[in-house]
Amino acid sequence: MTAARAGVAFAIVACAAPEAALRERLEIRSRGHGDASEADAAVLAMQIAQREPLDEDETGSALAVDTTREGSIREAELALLRRI
């Protein structure tokens, strides 16, 4: 049963960033210590190859977040609170 049919509030948070920004984040992470993530360039390549665009129904429920833009996470948080 989908959330919509059950009458439950929901949203899809569709985070996006240019591939160059994602690769830069991986590079920065690889120089740091203590990061629990095991994601590397191979994982990123696999995710890019396997990603699927949202369909029409999903797009209507999606909140697009450009994670490279300053303040976008806070804006997304506020938008989610307004939706639920």
Side-chain angles (χ1 to χ4, degrees), residues 12 17 19 22-23 46-49 53-54 57 70 77 82:
I12 297 169
E19 187 175 335
L22 299 175
R23 292 192 183 285
M46 180 188 68
Q47 290 175 334
I48 290 170
L54 298 176
D57 290 336
E70 186 71 32
E77 177 184 19
R82 285 191 299 271

Side-chain angles (χ1 to χ4, degrees), residues 30-81:
S30 72
R31 291 183 293 212
H33 301 288
D35 191 320
S37 176
E38 296 177 1
D40 58 14
V43 172
L44 177 60
M46 180 188 68
Q47 290 175 334
I48 290 170
Q50 294 180 357
R51 74 178 155 203
E52 298 177 19
L54 298 176
D55 66 28
E56 189 175 318
D57 290 336
E58 293 167 330
T59 300
S61 300
L63 175 63
V65 181
D66 175 356
T67 63
T68 63
R69 198 173 56 71
E70 186 71 32
S72 63
I73 303 301
R74 179 66 179 148
E75 290 172 10
E77 177 184 19
L78 294 173
L80 283 171
L81 289 172

